[in-house]
């Protein structure tokens, strides 16, 4: 008998929401994560979560339109509509679970402004919204008594007869390998920021789910769409939330000018992130920056507002840049933050297409940053990512439960555990050739940050792809420095690098495929959006030779025809 | 600059596992945190070094460890802050928890205590269709305990837990406070009843360590003191700890200073004869050596006691 009906890989917001939904639907569900759930990177979402909640001037249609426009018309509009329709109820659900959202004078939920949005529809908890929601979600997991495999690292998805039937994983505290079977698997393992250096992302964001799914035959979608956040610290790439600009912060260049006037006269600092990041990069390139940075200025908001609504980022700026935002502007620059692309799913979060239009293993679902539904298209709006994790996490939990019910209990046939064990022993047996995992990762991160960032060119992307491919060759001989069993992070980093290289290769290859500029994918050699040729998704699946096979899929348009995108 | 790290190592797989200190001298940039330095050691010098870390921005709570004897987030601790002259920085795993390997501890104790306080909202009655109506102040009040990132630093350095593993400890009690102070929670009385028992709010020794080491300003001990107030208000003075507070205040209000004999008698309970008899020799010895003020009715008023009494009266009349 299968160990679980549903196994959720990853225990951030999408994963925990999926587990709760599956539990409520009556499934025997478990979560598995390489870290404790409250260490997940959903913590780092600071600014808030979007919803057009009833009783305001706002409308779901407006939320959909802003998201479609923000995506530069690459988002699938059926999925976006679904997300925005579900959003209000999901906010209420969170509030009932115990999230302490900011209130208005009447004691009802209050909102703040956010980038790319026509109305103030971002619900928030100071500037620790992600943390506040993540911890409440974990409270619900404890309440429900959901089984949680904590600090278990997944090495393989088990695929038999085209069906995902579980995973092989390392229990990190002992080093033991386990096989855990399930009738449905939900991937909710987050993004791949560490393929870039620097990145706002946590050290755990290594694209494990993307690598696992890709190797298991799933389709990666729009991998070229990588978001650079406009306000990150130069010293270590740490994020300062868009909440600052939502509350009214200015962006200033070296002359003290609010330069966004020249790039987005209407929305200024609150234009969408791709637009603001490009503006900053242009200012810096044209010599109106200071030490590779421009400035984020919140002084005019007053000490009280900064201390209550922007407490965390004020501390972060103090801790990591030595600047007190109450008295001084803080130097910031665009930094890698998010990937809009990911494992292709349909709006039901399935990674396979029952009609066969695209490839993927049955029984595998995906939600959150690891997935691409696609609701963010070419550029994600701030405060839409928390929303995506919850709305599609819930769908994934429910759909996986339904799928599990239809499955017969087939015992696993293959020697999955033995295969994985042998592979790890082979890694341990590799001779020390002087290569180090961290060095390879850094070379990849630097190349990606140089060529797959805010501005791209054919030549640059070719160069990044070349670097990644030569790193893949070196990776094939990369030794593991530490051979112990207990909490061997050196082994884990080695395996993570493999996943990141897969993701990085498809990011470069997808970027080269897309012969236009759209959203975050801005090509200096092709500066215009080309709706006639490229109003479509890029796809990558692994070929027989291990190289990505590229393709395209149509974009779903319901009622918002592409228009010129001006902020 | 040069960083000098002395790290407590423990390899459970060694033939005879035992802790040892290992020194690392590395060249690092000025802005480096303790975590940055440890990562550099792990990446360049010693891949066997085990530690937990993730966000690098003091939000995930992974990297709590002892730095120069005190629990801290390694990512929030600049090298120049703990070793301004390039002194050796001593890095050890958190205390009060079993070491798994090097700087990695088993957090089972921590999480078991969190689980023990039923850490989830238990609303009274059916949920409203829309959100609960609550004032922004009542929500902002919860922001402080909600700032807890479950790093375990307070549990590591809790002096009460060190001698009594039954104590719920600062993190779990701060978590309990978060629900009791939440206007939406309907189980406050049940929660307070549990917290009034052995291992609950009265077992804190008020040493302030948790307040000092908490990296996010939760100040768990302050939350525990608020819980004591709630317990006394809602449940009454049923424990020695509560009676201790009550007697203390009564004595000072009456005489302007503390009647320590009555404090002991009240705390243990005036009719708790076995306990009082067992404590009597200690009390008599202290009295004979002049270490206790004379007990009631010989306990005299201090000069100006009436002013102290007035402060109490004013406070009583202003109580919410």
């Amino acid at each position: 008998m299968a160990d679980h009906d549903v196994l959720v890989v990853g225990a951030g917001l999408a994963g925990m929401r999926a587990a709760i939904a599956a539990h409520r639907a009556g499934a025997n569900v478990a979560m598995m994560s390489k870290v404790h759930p409250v260490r997940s990177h959903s913590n780092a979402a600071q600014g808030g979560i979007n919803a057009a909640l009833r009783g305001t001037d706002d409308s779901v249609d407006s939320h959909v339109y802003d998201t479609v426009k923000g995506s530069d018309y690459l988002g699938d509009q059926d999925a976006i509509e679904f997300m925005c329709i579900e959003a209000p109820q999901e906010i209420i659900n969170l509030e009932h679970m115990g999230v302490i959202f900011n209130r208005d004078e009447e004691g009802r939920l209050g909102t703040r402004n956010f980038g790319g949005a026509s109305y103030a529809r971002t619900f928030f908890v100071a500037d620790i919204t992600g943390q506040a929601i993540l911890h409440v979600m974990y409270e619900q997991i404890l309440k429900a008594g959901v089984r949680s495999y904590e600090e278990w690292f997944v090495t393989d998805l088990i695929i038999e007869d085209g069906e995902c039937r579980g995973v092989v994983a390392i229990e990190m505290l002992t080093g033991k390998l386990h096989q855990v079977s399930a009738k449905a698997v939900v991937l909710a393992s987050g993004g791949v920021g560490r393929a870039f250096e620097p990145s706002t992302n946590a050290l755990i964001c290594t694209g494990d789910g993307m690598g696992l799914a890709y190797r298991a035959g799933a389709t990666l979608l729009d991998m070229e769409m990588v978001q650079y956040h406009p306000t990150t610290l130069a010293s270590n790439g740490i994020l300062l939330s868009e909440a600052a600009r939502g509350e009214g912060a200015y962006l200033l260049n070296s002359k003290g000018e609010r330069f966004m006037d020249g790039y987005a006269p209407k929305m200024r600092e609150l234009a969408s992130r791709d637009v603001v990041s490009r503006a900053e990069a242009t200012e810096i390139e044209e010599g109106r920056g200071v030490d590779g940075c421009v400035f984020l200025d919140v002084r005019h908001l007053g000490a009280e507002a900064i201390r209550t609504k922007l407490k965390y980022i004020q501390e972060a700026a103090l801790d990591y840049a030595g600047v007190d935002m109450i008295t001084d502007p803080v130097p910031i620059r665009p930094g890698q933050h998010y990937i809009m692309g990911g494992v292709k799913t349909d709006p039901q979060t399935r990674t396979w297409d029952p009609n066969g239009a695209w490839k993927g293993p049955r029984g595998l679902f995906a939600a959150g940053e690891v997935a691409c539904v696609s609701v963010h298209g070419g550029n994600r709006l701030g405060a839409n990512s928390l929303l995506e994790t919850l709305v599609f996490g819930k769908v994934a939990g429910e759909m996986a439960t339904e799928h599990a019910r239809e499955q017969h209990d087939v015992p696993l046939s293959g020697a999955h555990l033995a295969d994985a064990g042998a592979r790890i022993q082979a890694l341990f047996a590799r001779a020390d050739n002087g290569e180090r995992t961290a060095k390879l990762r850094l070379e990849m991160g630097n190349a990606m940050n140089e060529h797959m960032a805010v501005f791209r060119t054919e030549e640059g992307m070719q160069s990044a792809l070349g670097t990644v491919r030569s790193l893949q060759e070196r990776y094939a001989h990369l030794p593991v420095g530490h051979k112990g069993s207990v909490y061997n992070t050196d082994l884990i980093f080695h395996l993570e690098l493999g996943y990141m290289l897969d993701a990085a290769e498809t990011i470069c290859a997808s970027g080269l495929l897309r012969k236009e500029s759209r959203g975050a994918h801005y090509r200096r050699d092709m500066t215009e959006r080309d709706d006639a040729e490229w109003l479509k998704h890029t796809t990558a699946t692994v070929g027989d030779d291990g190289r990505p096979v590229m393709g395209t899929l149509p974009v779903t348009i319901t009622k918002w025809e592409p228009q010129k995108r001006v902020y | 600059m040069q960083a000098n790290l002395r790290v407590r190592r423990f390899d459970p797989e060694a033939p005879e596992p035992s802790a040892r200190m290992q020194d690392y001298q590395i060249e690092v940039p000025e802005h480096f945190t303790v975590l940055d330095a440890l990562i550099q050691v792990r990446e360049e010098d010693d891949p066997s070094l085990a530690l937990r870390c993730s966000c690098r921005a003091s939000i995930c709570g992974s990297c709590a460890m002892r730095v120069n004897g005190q629990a801290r987030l390694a990512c929030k601790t600049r090298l120049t802050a703990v070793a301004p002259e390039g002194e050796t920085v001593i890095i050890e795993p958190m205390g009060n928890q079993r070491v798994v390997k090097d700087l990695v501890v088993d957090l089972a104790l921590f999480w078991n205590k969190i689980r023990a306080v039923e850490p989830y909202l238990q609303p009274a009655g059916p949920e409203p269709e829309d959100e609960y109506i609550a004032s922004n102040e009542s929500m902002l009040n919860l922001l402080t305990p909600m700032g807890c990132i479950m790093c375990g630093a307070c549990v590591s350095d809790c002096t009460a837990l060190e001698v009594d593993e039954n104590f719920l400890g600062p993190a779990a009690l701060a978590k309990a406070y978060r629900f009791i102070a939440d206007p939406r929670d309907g189980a406050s009385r049940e929660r307070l009843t549990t917290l009034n028992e052995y291992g609950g709010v009265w077992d804190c020794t008020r040493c302030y360590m948790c307040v000092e080491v908490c990296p996010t300003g939760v100040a768990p001990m302050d939350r525990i003191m608020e819980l004591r107030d709630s317990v006394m208000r809602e449940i009454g003075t049923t424990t020695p700890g509560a009676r201790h507070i009550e007697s203390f205040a009564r004595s000072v209000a009456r005489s302007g200073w503390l009647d320590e004999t009555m404090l002991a008698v009240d705390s243990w309970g005036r009719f708790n004869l076995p306990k009082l008899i067992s404590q009597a020799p200690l009390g008599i010895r202290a009295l004979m050596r002049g270490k206790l003020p004379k007990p009631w009715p010989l306990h005299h008023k201090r000069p100006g006691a009436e002013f102290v009494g007035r402060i109490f009266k004013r406070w009583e009349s202003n109580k919410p």
Side-chain angles (χ1 to χ4, degrees), chain A residues 543-567:
Chain A
D544 294 335
D545 61 350
R547 293 269 172 255
V549 176
M550 308 307 296
T552 61
L553 280 171
V555 173
T556 307
I557 290 176
T558 55
K559 57 181 180 187
W560 287 271
E561 289 298 326
Q563 294 167 354
K564 195 166 157 55
R565 185 163 167 259
V566 186
Y567 282 101

Side-chain angles (χ1 to χ4, degrees), chain A residues 35-36 38-41 43-44 53-54 89 92 94-104 106-109 125-126 128 131-132 135-136 138-140 142-143 150-151 173 194 199-204 235-238 308 311-312 315 318-322 436 438 441 481-490 493, chain B residues 11-13 31 33 35-36 39 42-44 47-62 75-78 98 100-101 104-107 110-111 114-115 119-123 127-136 139-140 142-143 146-152 175 178-179 182 184 215-217:
Chain A
V35 293
H36 186 281
V38 306
R39 314 293 179 219
S40 304
H41 192 57
N43 257 329
L53 195 59
R54 64 197 171 278
Q89 189 54 48
I92 297 295
L94 289 176
E95 202 277 337
H96 289 173
M97 286 176 182
V99 177
I100 58 160
F101 287 112
N102 179 278
R103 309 277 161 155
D104 62 18
E106 286 153 20
R108 302 182 71 94
L109 303 182
V125 182
I128 57 164
Q131 183 205 331
H135 282 247
V136 167
Y138 184 61
E139 292 166 12
Q140 296 299 309
L142 290 178
K143 185 179 178 186
E150 286 154 15
E151 299 189 323
L173 284 187
R194 295 296 294 166
S199 165
T200 64
N201 285 193
L203 305 180
I204 54 173
S235 62
N236 56 359
I238 297 289
T308 54
K311 176 175 178 282
Y312 171 79
E315 261 186 59
L318 207 55
D319 284 345
Y320 303 113
R436 292 288 173 266
R441 192 206 67 86
H482 177 57
K483 325 274 187 208
S485 299
V486 176
Y487 220 86
N488 185 346
T489 46
D490 200 45
F493 296 155
Chain B
D11 178 5
E13 296 173 90
H31 69 261
T33 62
L35 179 63
D36 293 329
I39 289 175
R42 188 170 71 176
E43 290 188 343
E44 293 176 11
S48 72
L49 179 65
L51 65 141
R52 290 191 179 101
C53 56
S54 180
C55 75
R56 308 164 292 135
S58 55
I59 194 86
C60 78
S62 302
C75 72
K76 201 179 161 69
T77 307
R78 281 201 181 208
R98 183 180 69 87
V100 174
K101 182 176 193 303
V104 174
V105 300
D106 182 354
L107 285 161
F110 178 89
W111 288 110
I114 298 289
R115 268 188 218 108
Y120 36 82
L121 197 70
Q122 299 179 39
E127 288 173 348
E129 196 175 311
D130 293 346
E131 71 266 41
Y132 288 93
I133 304 298
S135 73
N136 200 36
M139 292 288 115
L140 281 179
L142 296 177
L143 205 50
M146 290 289 287
C148 176
I149 55 175
M150 305 277 156
C151 67
K175 187 79 176 171
R178 174 252 171 283
F179 296 103
D182 192 323
R184 301 168 296 180
T216 59

Side-chain angles (χ1 to χ4, degrees), chain A residues 189-222:
Chain A
S189 51
V192 65
R194 295 296 294 166
F196 291 72
E197 181 67 31
S199 165
T200 64
N201 285 193
L203 305 180
I204 54 173
C205 300
T206 51
D208 305 1
M210 294 170 189
L212 284 166
Y214 176 66
R215 292 175 195 178
T219 301
L220 297 180
L221 196 77
D222 293 336

